[in-house]
Amino acid sequence: MESAKSIWMDGELVPWAEAKVHVLTHALHYGTGVFEGIRAYKNDDGTAVFRLREHMERLLVSAAAYSMPIEYSVDDLVVAVRDTVTDNELESCYIRPITFYELGTIGLNPAGARLRTSIIAFPWGAYLGEEGLRNGIRVKIASWARISLQSFPPAKATGPYINSILANQEAVRDGYDEALLLTGDGNVSEGAGENLFLVKDGQVITPPLSDGCLAGITRQSVMTLLTDDGYTVVEKSILPADLFEADELFFTGTAAEVTPVREVDDREIGPGKPGPITRRAQELFNDAVGGKLEQYREWLDYI
Ligand code: PMP
């Protein structure tokens, strides 16, 4: 990854190389952290962070789900992001806020460990590759089930990501671009780091949150964009068999943006190339983040 100049740690900007933590960091041992992934886009009016407040609100919801007494408000975190992006003189970039338990205890209960918050911003291109954005990616259904909602609150916490990592490693090892996870009951949940959309007979379908997927901010944005554009978008459970009969499939996510899926388990989806509704979703999303759609200007926080 590309580095930048400074990192925001607990209220101050420190040089990139000095943003360090102790090896006894509780979150390193037990995954006791919550985090976000945010993108800023350079457009004609400057650099705009996409849905910054919503991301910071989700960070605080995640922290509350794990009883983390984070001392910053959404407003504080919004200012911290602006300071970080400005200090690093970044234009389009990826922003990673993280709150985690550091030193203080090696017991499971993190009470007594110091809670730290950091914001890192750096340049980052297309997560699943430019080629993937253009022509679609190849996906493998993971042999690992999505971690169950009976086992963790569906917040964006670091620990549960080991589930996504196992699935992604398996997919990449087997020659695919990304993994798709099913619930323990066999419904389609989401990608290792993306939400899934399916198009069938002009209708757009995405799994409900009860199928264990993250309440993705890109998911919600794309649902709004397509609905406002006249499409019918519904939240409905998807079975693996539905994937193979789909006209189109695509992933959404901050890192992945809107990425077409052209194959699942070596079977082509539709004609094996991105379909018209996927293209329309990409276009609407790119125009929204690019500040070209007046109606969605409120989603943009200019630095
Ligand atoms: N699902 C998972 C498991 C993810 O890690 C992400 C990325 N945050 C998403 C979905 C997409 O969420 P968002 O659109 O908010 O980035």
Side-chain angles (χ1 to χ4, degrees):
M1 65 175 284
E2 240 182 282
S3 59
K5 183 182 129 206
S6 64
I7 291 180
W8 190 94
M9 287 192 91
D10 310 301
E12 57 182 275
L13 287 159
V14 300
W16 181 278
E18 287 168 30
K20 293 179 181 168
V21 293
H22 198 278
V23 73
L24 274 169
T25 291
H26 196 271
L28 181 63
H29 295 252
Y30 306 122
T32 46
V34 294
F35 69 106
E36 273 303 316
I38 310 173
R39 270 194 197 268
Y41 294 88
K42 164 108 173 75
N43 66 39
D44 293 344
D45 299 319
T47 295
V49 185
F50 187 62
R51 309 204 73 174
L52 176 56
R53 292 195 74 81
E54 288 89 338
H55 278 284
M56 290 315 192
E57 281 161 8
R58 189 171 68 183
L59 183 76
L60 295 192
V61 168
S62 296
Y66 288 90
S67 309
M68 291 178 174
I70 183 165
E71 63 187 288
Y72 301 105
S73 66
V74 169
D75 286 337
D76 296 337
L77 295 164
V78 163
V79 171
V81 165
R82 287 169 180 277
D83 291 349
T84 310
V85 174
T86 305
D87 192 58
N88 283 286
E89 296 170 26
L90 289 164
E91 294 184 326
S92 294
C93 60
Y94 183 81
I95 301 157
R96 166 57 56 85
I98 182 163
T99 293
F100 59 99
Y101 285 108
E102 200 209 23
L103 266 191
T105 177
I106 195 64
L108 284 186
N109 193 316
R114 178 183 176 199
L115 193 64
R116 304 202 65 180
T117 298
S118 185
I119 295 168
I120 310 131
F122 51 93
W124 202 19
Y127 179 56
L128 295 165
E130 288 294 340
E131 218 279 316
L133 280 178
R134 263 195 309 277
N135 301 323
I137 59 164
R138 298 177 58 247
V139 163
K140 180 184 197 294
I141 298 180
S143 57
W144 299 102
R146 183 84 192 118
I147 189 168
S148 158
L149 289 178
Q150 286 170 306
S151 302
F152 85 123
K156 209 166 158 58
T158 60
Y161 266 83
I162 199 77
N163 178 235
S164 283
I165 288 163
L166 284 166
N168 172 271
Q169 282 181 326
E170 177 188 72
V172 171
R173 195 185 301 131
D174 290 351
Y176 299 84
D177 301 304
E178 181 58 304
L180 180 63
L181 291 103
L182 309 183
T183 65
D185 295 334
N187 288 341
V188 173
S189 179
E190 61 178 344
E194 308 83 10
N195 290 107
L196 181 82
F197 285 78
L198 177 155
V199 178
K200 179 73 183 169
D201 298 331
Q203 193 185 49
V204 183
I205 304 166
T206 193
L209 301 184
S210 53
D211 281 336
C213 55
L214 187 76
I217 290 170
T218 320
R219 170 186 184 272
Q220 196 260 316
S221 306
V222 165
M223 287 171 81
T224 301
L225 290 166
L226 287 176
T227 304
D228 293 352
D229 201 43
Y231 291 96
T232 306
V233 183
V234 294
E235 292 179 85
K236 203 169 76 174
S237 289
I238 295 172
L239 290 169
D242 300 329
L243 299 172
F244 303 113
E245 290 175 8
D247 299 325
E248 304 177 34
L249 292 179
F250 62 89
F251 273 151
T252 64
T254 298
E257 300 172 305
V258 177
T259 299
V261 174
R262 67 179 160 91
E263 256 181 60
V264 176
D265 284 0
D266 302 313
R267 292 194 230 181
E268 281 189 352
I269 304 304
K273 55 181 204 237
I277 299 183
T278 304
R279 285 284 180 237
R280 184 68 184 143
Q282 282 185 314
E283 186 180 30
L284 288 166
F285 180 77
N286 291 340
D287 286 350
V289 301
K292 293 195 184 127
L293 303 176
E294 203 47 49
Q295 205 181 341
Y296 309 106
R297 290 284 282 206
E298 67 195 31
W299 286 351
L300 303 177
D301 230 288
Y302 281 90
I303 295 294

